[in-house]
Amino acid sequence: PCARPCENWRLCTGDPTDEIEAIASDDPDRELRTSSAFALSRCGDGFDQLVRIARTSKDRDIERSAFFRLGQSKDPRAVEFLAAVLSRP
């Protein structure tokens, strides 16, 4: 896995999505946390991690970034997830 996966996602080996999700949740570097959603959208199958971030993040910028990346996704699961979120009362 990359030392700074959000900036070096092309260099990732294996499946670093869990590590990137942890950075999005806990890293003290706000810029790195925000760019983690981008990395998840590009590095491996980050769909499940983006959904978890969108559902649970207490940081509005990270949450918005996750929703944005899900909206940019061509994954049909993203459409289902976003429709479910928008239909909540």
Side-chain angles (χ1 to χ4, degrees):
C2 308
R4 291 183 62 93
C6 300
E7 294 177 3
N8 300 307
W9 61 269
R10 288 187 177 107
L11 304 176
C12 293
T13 58
D15 185 9
T17 55
D18 290 336
E19 179 183 341
I20 297 170
E21 181 184 11
I23 290 169
S25 301
D26 302 324
D27 198 275
D29 182 339
R30 183 176 190 77
E31 184 178 327
L32 186 59
R33 286 193 325 266
T34 302
S35 63
S36 294
F38 172 75
L40 285 169
S41 73
R42 299 286 186 247
C43 195
D45 181 20
F47 176 81
D48 293 331
Q49 287 83 354
L50 283 171
V51 168
R52 266 195 299 278
I53 292 167
R55 285 184 175 153
T56 64
S57 180
K58 293 178 181 19
D59 183 322
R60 294 301 242 178
D61 290 336
I62 308 304
E63 177 188 53
R64 287 181 189 146
S65 185
F67 274 105
F68 176 78
R69 294 299 168 190
L70 286 166
Q72 296 294 308
S73 167
K74 295 184 188 220
D75 190 321
R77 297 175 296 171
V79 173
E80 290 176 32
F81 170 72
L82 294 170
V85 168
L86 292 172
S87 67
R88 277 191 261 163

